[in-house]
Structure formats: C-alpha cells, structure tokens
Amino acid sequence: MSEHYPMSRRQFVAGASGALLAGAGAAAAEKKAGGQTSGLAIEGGPKAVTKTPSGQPRWGEPELKQLEAMLRQGSLFYWEGPQTKLLIERFQQVCPRKYVQTCSSGTAALHIAVAAAGIGPGDEVITSPVTDIGTVIGVLYQQAVPVFADLGAGTYNLDVADVERRITPKTKAIIAVHLTGNPCDLDALKALADRHKLILIEDCAQAWGAKYRGRPIGTVGHFACFSLQNSKHVTCGDGGVVASNDDRFGPLLQKFGDKGGDRRKWGGFDAFATNYRMSEPQAAVAAAQLTRLEAIAAKRARLGNLLTEKIADLPGIIPHQVHPDDRAVYWFYMFRMKPEAFRCNRSQFVKAVLAEGAPITGGYIKVPLYGEPVFQKHAFFAGRWPVKEMGLTTMDFSKHKCPEAEAILATGMRVPIYEYMTEEYILSVAEAIRKVARHYAA
Ligand SMILES: *Cc1c(COP(=O)(O)O)cnc(C)c1O
C-alpha cells in the first residue's frame, strides 16, 4: 500500500499549484548553496522548533454568563428553550438555513438528515472512506448501504469523477465530508446530484466557519450537519446541529431528532426515530462558543495557508490542497510525501520531524472505514447485516477499494493547527519539515 503512489508528476503539478514546479528548482538551489544540509535534530543538530505556544482556555466569561442565565430558567428542556433559540439564531448567522435542529452529536445530525431524506433499506449513499465513522452510522441504522468513493490526492475530499462512477439505480444520496475543514468541490457535487436526482448532505463536522467560493459551508447541499464534540472548532462537550433550506425536508428535522413526533401536536407517531435531543445546558455553552467562531476560523485558515506557502516548493511533498477562493479552517493540516522522492519511509520522516520539535503524526484514521472489522465482516447488527441477508444489497466491503484514499493514509502526515498558535511557530514547524525533506531527498 505504502509503495503505491498512483499520481504522476504532471497530475500532481496540475492538481496542486503551478508554483510547485518553479518552487522545486528553488529548493534544489537552496540545497546546493548550503552544500551539506544542516544537521537534523535526530542526529544531534539544533532543533528547528524551540518555542511551542501553550494552549489557552477555550471557554470562560461568555459561557459562564450563558450558563448562569440558563440556570435561572424554570426548564432545561430544548423545546422553546431560550438557550436553544439563541443557539439557532447564532447558528443561522454562520450557516443561513431556514430550518435548524439542535441535537446530541454530529453523528445524530447526520442520522437525522439521512432519515429526513427518506433514505431506507438497500438505498445507497456515496461518501468518503476517510472520515469519522459517525458519517455513516446513520446510513447503516436506516438500513441503507454506504458506498465509499475515492478521494482527491491533495484535497482528501471526494473525487467527483469517482463518485459518478459509483452511482447506480439504488443511489439516493451523497454525503460530502469537508475533511479537516477544507471545502469539497460543492458545485460539481451539486450538479452531479441534480443530474441524478440525488440528495446532497454536507458533513461539516470539521468545517465550522469554512467558506466555499465565498459562501458559508453548509449552504449548497440539501442538508448541513455539524458537530459540537469537544475536539471540534466550537463545542459544548457533545452536540450537533442539522439544517436545511428545503421545504420538503426542513419540517422533518425536529421529528427525526425527537422520537418521530411533532412537538407541536405530540402523539400520532407517523415516523420512527430515536431521541437525539440537545438540552439547554449544552445549548447555552454552544451559543456562547459561536461568538468565538469567526476568530478561531480566521486564525486557523491563516496558519494553515502559511504552512502551505512555506512547504509547497519542496520536491516530493504534496501540501494540503485548498482552492484559492475557498476558506479552509484546518481542523488539522495534512501533507503527503511521495515515497519515491525520499530515502526514508514515512515513519522515519515523522520521527525526524518530531525530533525537530514539531508534533506531527503519521496518517489519520488507521484504515479507510471499509477496512474496519465491522465492515469487513458485515457485522452491523448483532453480527448480521439484514439488508444483505434479504438480498437488498450485494455490497462486499472486503472487496471494496479506494486506492488514493489508501495512499493518503499511508503517506499523509498530520500537523496540529490551533487558534492559539503563532505565525512564528508555524514558520518553525515549516522549517522542521524543510530540514527533514531536504536531508532525506532522494
Ligand atoms: C466528529 C465528526 C463526526 C461525528 O461527530 P460526533 O459529534 O462525534 O458524533 C462526523 N463526521 C466528521 C467528519 C467528524 O469529524
């Protein structure tokens, strides 16, 4: 898997940026001028990163104020609760959609979207194999079938041509995961969805504050799903938001998040759903957190783009590829190495960068989702998969393949990006990567 790298030099240059070719020459000259590359820290040389900014508290006065107001309320239930209302209002400033439902997680938001879209037994939903498993949990619970499509080599997002190849008469929806907060090619995906009458669901869990061609993330698809889990840009510990502008689906969000019932006329259950409610304490914290979002998103965008600027000219390095008109909000940054361009493997590369003082990690999730044991064994429900037993699908995850996704996980390296980091620090991280890349250049 790790030695396989299917992208040609020409595709790489075309796919990433024109500056790369020119930059490659510059880096080679730099190596020559210096004669010997400077000593790597792993070999006893000085570290590239000498100062690491420390984390800052992610919550404080605004959250306390909101929590205090919440505790003076007579009810902590979401329905018509003032904290939930405030959260929805503030959410609509970030993602202007007509219908918004708060819920207990990003996984819940995605499940509500899939259920509200009417996706059911044997229906196919095309999505990314490199994502949080929460992207497909709702699909499987609705007895639908996730179909994994391959990814762009530098964007790590759905490859629209491969999505198209995987469309069958059973396909009902596409879940576009904006991985790391880098927007998918939404116009292309929406056009494809429209052409085949498919629902487009945006998984914005890692993309709070991102912009696609200037438009807020979550405003192109039929549904937008966000997570407020602790590791995301903004949080209330756990939580989620699902939104839609579509008059067919929007009115269904509440009932698919709340036991299948319409709270305005409780009873007469005409739909079946679980309880995915968010409470007022969570909404209070989340509402306060949203006042911090723009600063967080803008800062992360700046730091991630700066890192690209400083490593894009390195031969054999594929930087995180972001469209120049988009705002990526870097839940993390990921670059790749072309294995044939280096005299070391990824794990040696990572070790050397770590020794320089930059906290990088190899890969992201261990294997593409279809490689996980529960998929390989089709063991979703007490060891069984009813839709397969009933002949509603012939899917065999043990034969599923997404070569680029596998190559991304085998050659990608993750750099943490946080809003409290300084540009100076990112420059030193870039220098750590440069030192190591130059030293091991083949
Ligand atoms: C975090 C995440 C989810 C799931 O969100 P939870 O709140 O943890 O359920 C789904 N998709 C992506 C891309 C995520 O990063």
Side-chain angles (χ1 to χ4, degrees):
M1 203 153 59
S2 61
E3 67 272 42
H4 175 69
Y5 187 78
M7 195 169 50
S8 75
R9 169 92 193 153
R10 205 178 71 242
Q11 286 169 309
F12 162 58
V13 171
S17 110
L20 289 175
L21 246 191
E30 193 176 326
K31 188 177 170 184
K32 257 194 213 127
Q36 277 295 74
T37 45
S38 62
L40 292 187
I42 201 168
E43 289 169 2
K47 290 185 176 199
V49 181
T50 50
K51 265 189 295 180
T52 302
S54 55
Q56 283 162 355
R58 298 168 64 198
W59 32 82
E61 277 310 311
E63 288 77 10
L64 270 172
K65 193 176 132 247
Q66 221 50 56
L67 280 169
E68 212 180 310
M70 178 273 299
L71 285 172
R72 295 213 168 86
Q73 293 168 197
S75 162
L76 302 183
F77 192 55
Y78 88 100
W79 184 248
E80 303 197 328
Q83 305 305 324
T84 301
K85 273 193 189 149
L86 181 66
L87 171 57
I88 290 171
E89 246 174 66
R90 289 186 179 165
F91 174 86
Q92 285 171 323
Q93 287 161 17
V94 175
C95 179
R97 301 283 83 182
K98 184 169 163 191
Y99 304 95
V100 180
Q101 177 72 17
T102 58
C103 57
S104 54
S105 68
T107 304
L110 284 147
H111 191 176
I112 292 167
V114 167
I119 291 161
D123 291 344
E124 294 178 0
V125 178
I126 300 176
T127 192
S128 167
V130 178
T131 178
D132 184 274
I133 193 167
T135 303
V136 297
I137 286 174
V139 174
L140 287 157
Y141 267 100
Q142 291 309 108
Q143 309 303 329
V145 179
V147 173
F148 298 102
D150 216 343
L151 305 177
T155 62
Y156 322 130
N157 283 331
L158 283 177
D159 168 353
V160 182
D162 197 56
V163 171
E164 181 153 31
R165 281 193 286 275
R166 297 187 195 242
I167 293 174
T168 74
K170 289 181 170 181
T171 309
K172 283 282 170 64
I174 299 167
I175 302 180
V177 180
H178 306 299
L179 198 76
T180 80
N182 182 25
C184 291
D185 187 352
L186 285 169
D187 283 338
L189 286 169
K190 185 63 167 46
L192 183 65
D194 288 348
R195 213 156 54 239
H196 293 269
K197 299 197 163 45
L198 309 177
I199 311 270
L200 180 61
I201 298 170
E202 292 183 57
D203 181 343
C204 310
Q206 302 181 1
W208 283 101
K211 293 210 161 74
Y212 173 74
R213 312 293 193 264
R215 286 176 272 168
I217 207 75
T219 57
V220 175
H222 297 94
F223 294 90
C225 305
F226 289 81
S227 166
L228 288 159
Q229 189 270 335
N230 193 63
S231 68
K232 307 298 156 81
H233 295 74
V234 283
T235 183
C236 57
D238 263 312
V241 185
V242 53
S244 178
N245 238 25
D246 195 303
D247 291 326
R248 291 170 298 168
F249 308 126
L252 305 176
L253 297 179
Q254 185 265 319
K255 73 172 162 187
F256 281 107
D258 191 357
K259 301 183 183 171
D262 181 343
R263 281 225 165 247
R264 281 157 305 187
K265 39 177 200 266
W266 198 240
F269 293 98
D270 60 357
F272 182 70
T274 185
N275 170 4
Y276 278 144
R277 296 186 304 242
M278 174 193 275
S279 69
E280 283 277 279
Q282 291 163 291
V285 174
Q289 283 270 294
L290 282 189
T291 63
R292 302 175 185 268
L293 175 60
E294 181 48 34
I296 292 170
K299 182 72 180 295
R300 288 193 185 213
R302 196 162 75 242
L303 295 177
N305 292 341
L306 178 63
L307 185 51
T308 291
E309 203 183 288
K310 298 298 171 192
I311 65 171
D313 66 332
L314 289 169
I317 292 293
I318 307 176
H320 208 138
Q321 187 187 330
V322 174
H323 190 283
D325 298 331
D326 289 351
R327 173 155 89 171
V329 288
Y330 300 100
W331 190 56
F332 59 81
Y333 185 101
M334 187 152 72
F335 67 96
R336 291 176 67 184
M337 66 189 287
K338 299 170 84 177
E340 70 278 11
F342 295 96
R343 293 180 289 110
C344 68
N345 63 22
R346 183 182 66 184
S347 108
Q348 288 166 305
F349 196 106
V350 167
K351 261 195 214 142
V353 176
L354 279 174
E356 297 294 334
I360 74 165
T361 343
Y364 170 36
I365 55 174
K366 254 197 211 135
V367 290
L369 288 182
Y370 56 78
E372 289 290 347
V374 72
F375 286 87
Q376 290 286 303
K377 295 182 197 150
H378 306 110
F380 304 110
F381 298 93
R384 302 170 60 179
W385 196 17
V387 286
K388 197 164 161 76
E389 292 177 12
M390 290 166 71
L392 293 174
T393 183
T394 55
M395 170 59 77
D396 183 347
F397 288 113
S398 72
K399 299 205 169 77
H400 218 59
K401 279 273 165 290
C402 294
E404 194 65 58
E406 293 178 18
I408 288 165
L409 293 177
T411 62
M413 286 170 264
R414 241 179 329 143
V415 182
I417 301 280
Y418 292 107
E419 53 278 7
Y420 58 79
M421 291 173 171
T422 60
E423 293 188 10
E424 184 193 11
Y425 169 73
I426 293 296
L427 292 177
S428 69
V429 170
E431 184 47 33
I433 297 167
R434 297 188 68 83
K435 264 177 87 176
V436 172
R438 270 188 255 132
H439 184 85
Y440 289 117

